[in-house]
Amino acid sequence: MKLGLVGLGKMGGNMRQRIRDAGIDVVGYDRNAEISDSDSLADMVAQLGEGPRVVWLMLPVQFVKQTLDELKDLLGEGDIVVDGGNSKWINDKNNAAYLSDAGIGYLDVGVSGGVWGRQNGYALMVGGSDPDVATVMPVFEALKPEGDYGFVHAGGVGAGHFAKMVHNGIEYGMMQSLAEGWELLMAADEVTDVPAVFASWQEGSVVKSWLLDLCVLAMKDDPKLDKIRGFAEDSGEGRWTVEAGVDLAVPTPAITAALYARFSSRQEDPPAMKLVSAMRNQFGGHAVVEDKPAVVDESDVDESTAQSSDAS
């Protein structure tokens, strides 16, 4: 079979190579002509030949709808579109209905594996009909890790992206726990080798995980993570997980806290903490750190108590 793959970034490019390594012909399209196998979506579809044709999208969510609009005119009865990006699951049923008017099938696939997927395989969470899944199964087999795990047909349309959304929400909570534990260990005088502590957990520990392995890897070249700024974006799926929890009345306190921690990371001087500090000062007389020192007459204060104007 031949596969059309749209979007050849960090994930898509590696997926193209892994699929090719499995003996499947892949025609890739990307707006970056240097990495693209085709000049346009129309050229890519033409290279796929006779149907059933399968086109897999690895695109940011904001580009999915316009790409589906183009593909609807290029594909036909029996063809299948796979959305493998981090799309919001509530869009999947609308996308499937939109393409079904032209007899085009639709699968939503949550893909996990990051930049290591080409080597280790990708965890795939699939939503859609049994016949469409069966058609695309050779590609799923090429992408998934060897063995019994790493692939699930989670349910009908929308199930794949919903499962991936929850997967990423869990990831938020796990990452935040590891990060808080690392900070606590770094602050303790008793612990002299934090990287070694993390490394010791890689075997025999209940917190053994791939995320832990990645922490150890990150600390090998930068033991105190001095080269990294404490800033973390969120892809959107953490927010969607929290929203789904609210809609379904399912409490997600750990995931929600992890999401808000990422928001805090973007603030050099979190405004809310100003009021917390002010309240602590008011009720307990706790000292506050002034943002901008007051102007004082240096002749009225001892040099040892004067605040430096260079403080930031």
Side-chain angles (χ1 to χ4, degrees), residues 13-35:
N14 283 337
M15 289 169 64
R16 173 176 60 177
Q17 191 56 54
R18 184 172 175 90
I19 297 168
R20 283 177 174 170
D21 290 345
I24 296 174
D25 194 355
V26 182
V27 181
Y29 171 68
D30 195 278
R31 289 186 297 177
N32 181 354
E34 294 183 2
I35 59 176

Side-chain angles (χ1 to χ4, degrees), residues 105-107 126-134 153 155-157:
Y106 179 87
L107 296 175
V126 182
S129 71
D130 290 338
D132 288 345
V133 171
H153 183 184
V157 169

Side-chain angles (χ1 to χ4, degrees), residues 27-265:
V27 181
Y29 171 68
D30 195 278
R31 289 186 297 177
N32 181 354
E34 294 183 2
I35 59 176
S36 185
D37 304 316
S38 50
D39 298 327
S40 63
L41 280 176
D43 179 41
M44 181 200 71
V45 171
Q47 291 189 51
L48 295 180
E50 299 296 324
R53 294 167 293 191
V54 178
V55 176
W56 187 306
L57 310 184
M58 288 301 296
L59 298 172
V61 62
Q62 61 266 33
F63 299 114
V64 171
K65 183 58 172 67
Q66 67 186 60
T67 305
L68 293 180
D69 289 340
E70 292 185 57
L71 287 173
K72 187 174 182 179
D73 293 331
L74 297 170
L75 299 174
E77 187 77 32
D79 295 337
I80 300 171
V81 173
V82 179
D83 182 3
N86 284 337
S87 293
K88 197 169 186 178
W89 65 277
I90 61 175
N91 297 331
D92 290 316
K93 290 185 179 179
N94 290 335
N95 292 340
Y98 175 66
L99 293 176
S100 68
D101 293 342
I104 303 169
Y106 179 87
L107 296 175
D108 57 284
V109 180
V111 181
S112 180
V115 296
W116 295 86
R118 176 178 172 182
Q119 173 183 336
N120 299 332
Y122 299 88
L124 306 172
M125 294 144 271
V126 182
S129 71
D130 290 338
D132 288 345
V133 171
T135 298
V136 187
M137 200 65 207
V139 180
F140 297 147
E141 291 286 356
L143 288 171
K144 69 179 286 295
E146 294 183 8
D148 297 332
Y149 304 109
F151 171 86
V152 62
H153 183 184
V157 169
H161 281 148
F162 193 94
K164 177 57 162 46
M165 175 192 74
V166 175
H167 166 282
N168 280 25
I170 293 170
E171 177 187 304
Y172 273 48
M174 292 173 67
M175 292 174 69
Q176 186 63 27
S177 293
L178 287 165
E180 290 174 8
W182 173 81
E183 184 175 359
L184 186 58
L185 287 167
M186 291 292 292
D189 292 335
E190 291 80 1
V191 179
T192 58
D193 193 343
V194 175
V197 171
F198 265 64
S200 74
W201 296 342
Q202 289 181 284
E203 294 295 342
S205 166
V206 295
V207 300
K208 175 182 176 181
S209 66
W210 187 35
L211 286 174
L212 175 66
D213 294 343
L214 295 177
C215 290
V216 173
L217 189 62
M219 284 185 268
K220 276 188 176 179
D221 296 327
D222 190 5
K224 296 183 179 180
L225 304 183
D226 291 328
K227 301 174 185 176
I228 301 174
R229 181 185 166 201
F231 179 97
E233 283 285 8
D234 67 290
S235 64
E237 294 197 315
R239 302 184 189 209
W240 302 341
T241 306
V242 172
E243 290 170 1
V246 172
D247 291 341
L248 298 173
V250 174
T252 58
I255 294 171
T256 302
L259 173 66
Y260 276 83
R262 293 202 182 186
F263 293 162
S264 296
S265 79

